[in-house]
Amino acid sequence: MSLRQKIRYFLLACSGSACFLVGMAFAGESKQPEGSKTSEQARWLASAKHVTILRDKWGIPHVFGKTDADAVFGLLYAQAEDDFNRIELNYIIAMGRLAEVEGEAAIWRDLRMKLYIQPAAMQVKFQQSPPWLKKLMVSFADGLNYYLYKHPEVKPKLIAHFEPWMALTFSEGSIGGDIEEINLNNLEKFYGSGSSSLIAQNDNGFDAEPRGSNGFAIAPKLTSNGHALLLINPHTSFYFRPEVHMVSQQGLNAYGAVTWGQFFVYQGFNQHLGWMHTSGGGDVIDEYLETITEKNGQFFYQYENEERAVIMRPITLPYKTASGMASKTINAYFTHHGPIIRAQDGKWISIRMMEEPLKALMQSYGRTKTKDYQDFYRIMQLRTNSSNNTVYADDKGNIAYFHGNFIPKRDPRFDWRKPVDGSIAATEWRGMHEVKDTIHLLNPQKGWIQNTNNWPFTVSGAVGAPDSNSPLQQDYPHYMWTLPENARGIHALRVLEGAQNLSIDRLIAKAYDSYLTAFEPLIPALLQAYAMSEDNKLKSDLAEQVACLQSWDLRFAIDSVPTSLAIYWAQDMVKNSAEKARAADIPVLNYIRDQISPQERLDSLQRAIQKLNDDFGSWKTPWGNINRFQRISGDIQQQYDDNKASYPVAFTSANWGSLAAFGMSAQQKTKRIYGDRGNSFVAAVEFGPHLKAKSILAGGNSGNPLSKHFDDQAEMYSKGEFKEVLFYPADIKKNLEKEYHPGE
């Protein structure tokens, strides 16, 4: 038996910390016995012959394969052509190996992943997979490995050879998975030196752009052509997902956004139906207060009338140094609830979340091949879409909404928003809620559905409205929803209420409506503060600016001066109130609306005026001169330059109620605001006998600055202009740029 065969056998046979180290060595191994490599190469060549990639005029890959596995092979090959760097980084992060590339500062992020992701366990799950899914995972690895084989000039940072099981480490698709709820500062404090060395989040006066999305579904009775419509509008970091199309002779025909390195369309549609995910469903993660005692160097935790041994697992964290590689071993602790992630008030805190990578991958891929509502509902019953809601529409005229999917049953007497007592059986999960028992809605009489990461009780009508079709809050346990109403939700209700005769273009127009609902209470409060002030000099100094805001229609525009003034004023209030709002456990926008004093509002306005004057020479600077789209490099961490070309953008951060979101979450080193999060891939789809759709992507489909598809959609994106989706072969051929087999 060869060394590699012995390692593989060991991985399948073992579990726990001992095989973790071997598994990590196996994951990074790039050399293979010659016979194995020859066998692999033969498989690659055979797959490539069955795949045709059609690149349209936008560089979008339309991958046609004989089988689903062939389509997966071609999709991963095409993704690697567009941005191998992002693919590799996603799997480096997913496997907890970032410190091996970026150094010791990343070890706590790696530890967080390794609390859950172990190569040995993933190998076992791969072997337990149904044959159809195994084929797809093999093709996933083959497509990437064939790309590296055909492009020896590409030098991976770490992963020189992909293995099929790696697909299970990144199986759900969300931009921020459940695991990111574990705070890295707290993790380091508990397992490290006792004080965090992590870099604090940059505070540059601009509230971090929310991670979220908008989804609208419109019933046929409200549309001009009598067909259901779907708006797909994820708000993610830019360039996190490209636009793809994958087709097979086994019924696959999925179009939409794919997260780099995954083999399923995450947000998109097929010829029959479409799905849009919005973040912020039910409560899917719980923390437990563990009562710990120590005896002879062994830790125990209290559970009912017994003491149970805390499980200790050594986890080795390799990291890059200036002189080579080093490593640190952490003794991680676990109770039956899950890993220990921090301490609080003399107790340890464990965390429990979904751990179903195999079923999650089955659900993520399975939904792309569904044909109707019943089929889609059947896939939803796998119940492993843990971090998202789903907005749905199909060619039979159905529209639907699912608030969450993975929802554990719990005792509603407890406040699950806070850590609960881990020493009693009453706080245990009691299985999973069936889909039929979760918050969901099918074909509401109003004819429309919306979600903007807000609560589900306005999904089809306002709370208390006599004609509302939204679910009722009192009908569900409180842990089935976590987020309150937001400014976008209020905005969405207004643009959809009373809508008639909607087309794709009219739906897009509503999704880009320019009104900023968050300022509705803020401007009157400012006017009142100004009127109440007895400081005559202050009132004289601010008279022109207050008049400017008083006459504002609360709509953004490229040439709007009040938009600039209002946003800089509100951001200053946010900056100066964030800490107080956190201490009071009040959303910061609610805090600046209700809690700050009249004088604080006026002081913030003065500072905003000064900043605009300092940065741009005048507070009368139009919004489009400040708010810009720029893409000048293929780096993961984008840099911006006020002296280089950029495009003006009218729409604003989602914080202010802009349905079309455009915000800056990176540290601001420039005077202008350059968006890096918000509208990314956006599509509007009409599900008739002949599917029609339009889409737009931030920048372009390629991560290579030398490609014309790096920024060929940038100007259109900045203006909210869409391109026609090329879904049918005849349309693709008419707009064809390149046709080839992988490897050619």
Side-chain angles (χ1 to χ4, degrees):
M1 182 181 291
S2 70
L3 174 61
R4 188 175 182 84
Q5 288 171 324
K6 289 178 181 178
I7 293 174
R8 187 181 296 275
Y9 175 82
F10 180 71
L11 285 170
L12 296 178
C14 75
S15 61
S17 60
C19 62
F20 181 85
L21 300 179
V22 177
M24 291 314 298
F26 178 74
E29 186 182 345
S30 61
K31 294 183 178 180
Q32 297 175 287
E34 194 59 39
S36 173
K37 185 175 290 187
T38 301
S39 174
E40 255 194 334
Q41 291 173 5
R43 191 169 68 240
W44 299 339
L45 292 170
S47 294
K49 290 178 181 178
H50 295 144
V51 177
T52 300
I53 300 173
L54 304 178
R55 294 274 185 177
D56 68 24
K57 64 181 181 180
W58 301 103
I60 295 165
H62 303 261
V63 181
F64 290 80
K66 183 176 180 180
T67 65
D68 284 10
D70 292 332
V72 167
F73 175 92
L75 177 68
L76 270 297
Y77 187 93
Q79 284 189 53
E81 288 182 304
D82 288 333
D83 205 328
F84 176 80
N85 184 32
R86 289 180 183 272
I87 294 172
E88 186 191 16
L89 181 61
N90 279 345
Y91 283 93
I92 289 172
I93 293 171
M95 294 190 294
R97 304 187 66 188
L98 188 61
E100 296 176 54
V101 175
E102 296 190 355
E104 188 175 7
I107 64 170
W108 303 107
R109 187 169 184 173
D110 286 352
L111 175 63
R112 181 171 67 180
M113 297 305 304
K114 289 179 178 178
L115 292 173
Y116 290 92
I117 301 297
Q118 297 185 28
M122 297 300 108
Q123 269 281 21
V124 171
K125 290 182 184 299
F126 170 74
Q127 294 297 336
Q128 295 171 343
S129 302
W132 67 267
L133 188 59
K134 275 187 182 178
K135 290 180 182 178
L136 300 186
M137 287 190 272
V138 169
S139 289
F140 144 83
D142 281 354
L144 293 172
N145 292 330
Y146 187 47
Y147 170 79
L148 291 175
Y149 172 72
K150 296 295 292 186
H151 295 81
E153 75 281 3
V154 175
K155 305 299 180 185
K157 293 182 175 67
L158 185 66
I159 308 174
H161 191 268
F162 287 81
E163 299 286 343
W165 59 266
M166 292 180 182
L168 291 166
T169 68
F170 189 33
S171 60
E172 202 263 355
S174 293
I175 187 167
D178 299 339
I179 201 168
E180 291 193 8
E181 294 297 315
I182 299 175
N183 182 277
L184 293 180
N185 288 286
N186 291 334
L187 199 66
E188 182 183 2
K189 287 178 182 178
F190 186 83
Y191 287 111
S193 61
S195 61
S196 175
S197 64
L198 295 173
I199 299 173
Q201 183 177 0
N202 295 307
D203 185 2
N204 55 17
F206 289 90
D207 198 23
E209 181 63 19
R211 292 182 177 184
S213 304
N214 301 332
F216 297 169
I218 311 297
K221 69 179 184 179
L222 300 183
T223 68
S224 57
N225 291 332
H227 305 141
L229 298 173
L230 179 67
L231 175 77
I232 299 171
N233 184 195
H235 296 167
T236 69
S237 56
F238 295 166
Y239 326 123
F240 186 72
R241 297 187 181 110
E243 188 170 349
V244 303
H245 185 195
M246 52 192 308
V247 185
S248 82
Q249 296 176 25
Q250 294 180 322
L252 176 67
N253 191 4
Y255 190 107
V258 60
T259 307
W260 291 107
Q262 293 184 324
F263 60 78
F264 52 87
V265 171
Y266 182 64
Q267 289 163 318
F269 52 91
N270 59 35
Q271 66 270 44
H272 300 295
L273 55 85
W275 57 96
M276 169 59 207
H277 298 309
T278 60
S279 303
D283 181 359
V284 299
I285 301 171
D286 289 317
E287 293 184 340
Y288 291 85
L289 293 161
E290 308 285 11
T291 303
I292 304 296
T293 57
E294 183 181 3
K295 297 179 182 178
N296 300 319
Q298 169 71 53
F299 292 107
F300 297 84
Y301 67 102
Q302 186 70 33
Y303 189 72
E304 290 294 329
N305 297 319
E306 63 177 327
E307 286 187 332
R308 295 186 176 184
V310 173
I311 299 168
M312 190 273 286
R313 179 188 300 153
I315 296 179
T316 297
L317 303 165
Y319 59 90
K320 182 181 179 180
T321 71
S323 58
M325 294 296 296
S327 67
K328 180 178 292 187
T329 298
I330 300 293
N331 290 327
Y333 299 108
F334 300 77
T335 71
H336 73 281
H337 295 122
I340 303 297
I341 58 168
R342 71 175 193 276
Q344 176 181 306
D345 300 328
K347 295 182 183 291
W348 287 4
I349 304 292
S350 63
I351 190 167
R352 188 172 186 185
M353 64 180 69
M354 186 186 81
E355 294 186 70
E356 294 279 4
L358 179 55
K359 287 174 64 178
L361 189 57
M362 292 170 65
Q363 182 166 349
S364 295
Y365 184 80
R367 75 168 69 94
T368 69
K369 293 190 68 175
T370 53
K371 297 180 177 63
D372 54 30
Y373 179 76
Q374 289 72 27
D375 205 14
F376 194 89
Y377 191 95
R378 175 182 59 82
I379 294 295
M380 289 291 285
Q381 293 193 89
L382 285 168
R383 292 175 290 173
T384 50
N385 189 1
S386 63
S387 59
N388 294 304
N389 313 309
T390 303
V391 180
Y392 167 99
D394 67 30
D395 60 1
K396 293 181 173 62
N398 296 303
I399 63 172
Y401 177 74
F402 301 87
H403 194 75
N405 182 237
F406 172 89
I407 306 289
K409 292 181 182 178
R410 283 156 283 194
D411 189 329
R413 294 176 300 170
F414 296 96
D415 184 355
W416 294 95
R417 297 170 298 177
K418 302 175 181 178
V420 296
D421 188 351
S423 70
I424 56 175
T427 58
E428 294 294 340
W429 288 0
R430 304 172 180 179
M432 296 295 114
H433 282 282
E434 296 288 339
V435 175
K436 64 181 178 63
D437 297 324
T438 62
I439 303 172
H440 67 282
L441 188 64
L442 174 64
N443 294 331
Q445 184 63 33
K446 286 186 86 71
W448 54 262
I449 283 170
Q450 64 84 20
N451 186 257
T452 65
N453 319 113
N454 55 336
W455 62 352
F457 308 116
T458 56
V459 68
S460 191
V463 173
D467 62 342
S468 175
N469 300 143
S470 300
L472 299 177
Q473 184 174 338
Q474 61 266 28
D475 291 344
Y476 301 94
H478 59 80
Y479 57 73
M480 279 195 179
W481 59 279
T482 57
L483 298 179
E485 187 59 278
N486 59 31
R488 280 182 292 128
I490 295 169
H491 194 174
L493 280 173
R494 293 177 183 174
V495 299
L496 292 177
E497 190 68 57
Q500 294 284 341
N501 202 35
L502 290 178
S503 63
I504 285 179
D505 289 336
R506 294 189 189 101
L507 181 61
I508 290 172
K510 288 188 176 296
Y512 281 74
D513 185 83
S514 61
Y515 195 73
L516 298 177
T517 48
F519 286 100
E520 282 186 341
L522 297 181
I523 298 297
L526 175 69
L527 299 179
Q528 183 179 24
Y530 180 79
M532 291 170 53
S533 176
E534 297 179 355
D535 186 334
N536 291 330
K537 183 179 185 306
L538 176 66
K539 294 183 75 171
S540 176
D541 290 344
L542 296 179
E544 188 177 6
Q545 293 87 352
V546 169
C548 175
L549 292 175
Q550 185 173 20
S551 63
W552 184 36
D553 61 3
L554 306 191
R555 291 190 174 275
F556 60 68
I558 292 293
D559 59 355
S560 171
V561 169
T563 301
S564 304
L565 182 59
I567 287 176
Y568 272 63
W569 166 61
Q571 289 286 14
D572 187 88
M573 289 191 289
V574 166
K575 179 181 179 180
N576 288 281
S577 302
E579 188 173 339
K580 295 175 183 177
R582 283 193 294 268
D585 195 24
I586 298 173
V588 67
L589 295 182
N590 291 357
Y591 190 92
I592 67 171
R593 180 191 66 196
D594 302 327
Q595 302 293 322
I596 69 174
S597 69
Q599 188 60 47
E600 287 174 311
R601 298 183 194 280
L602 297 174
D603 290 343
S604 281
L605 182 59
Q606 283 187 303
R607 288 191 292 269
I609 294 165
Q610 188 62 51
K611 183 171 178 58
L612 286 165
N613 285 334
D614 291 345
D615 288 353
F616 304 105
S618 171
W619 67 268
K620 297 180 180 180
T621 302
W623 179 235
N625 289 9
I626 298 172
N627 200 49
R628 313 287 290 190
F629 179 86
Q630 184 180 77
R631 190 183 195 191
I632 55 179
S633 82
D635 296 342
I636 303 294
Q637 300 298 328
Q638 291 283 299
Q639 300 296 319
Y640 304 98
D641 189 335
D642 284 336
N643 296 314
K644 293 186 177 180
S646 61
Y647 296 99
V649 176
F651 42 103
T652 78
S653 165
N655 284 315
W656 314 123
S658 180
L659 292 172
F662 186 83
M664 188 173 190
S665 59
Q667 183 180 18
Q668 188 176 10
K669 301 176 182 178
T670 56
K671 292 180 179 179
R672 287 171 158 176
I673 299 171
Y674 294 98
D676 58 18
R677 185 185 298 279
N679 278 23
S680 47
F681 167 77
V682 189
V685 192
E686 179 182 318
F687 294 98
H690 186 88
L691 183 139
K692 299 177 183 177
K694 290 186 175 182
S695 69
I696 192 64
L697 190 68
N701 222 57
S702 173
N704 180 2
L706 300 178
S707 168
K708 69 178 181 180
H709 302 303
F710 177 72
D711 60 359
D712 58 341
Q713 298 182 56
E715 185 173 9
M716 294 169 61
Y717 171 87
S718 71
K719 296 177 178 178
E721 296 176 353
F722 281 56
K723 63 186 185 297
E724 297 283 347
V725 165
L726 305 171
F727 188 74
Y728 294 98
D731 296 323
I732 299 168
K733 290 282 189 179
K734 289 177 184 176
N735 296 275
L736 188 63
E737 180 178 275
K738 183 180 179 182
E739 178 177 345
Y740 60 101
H741 299 294
E744 292 180 351

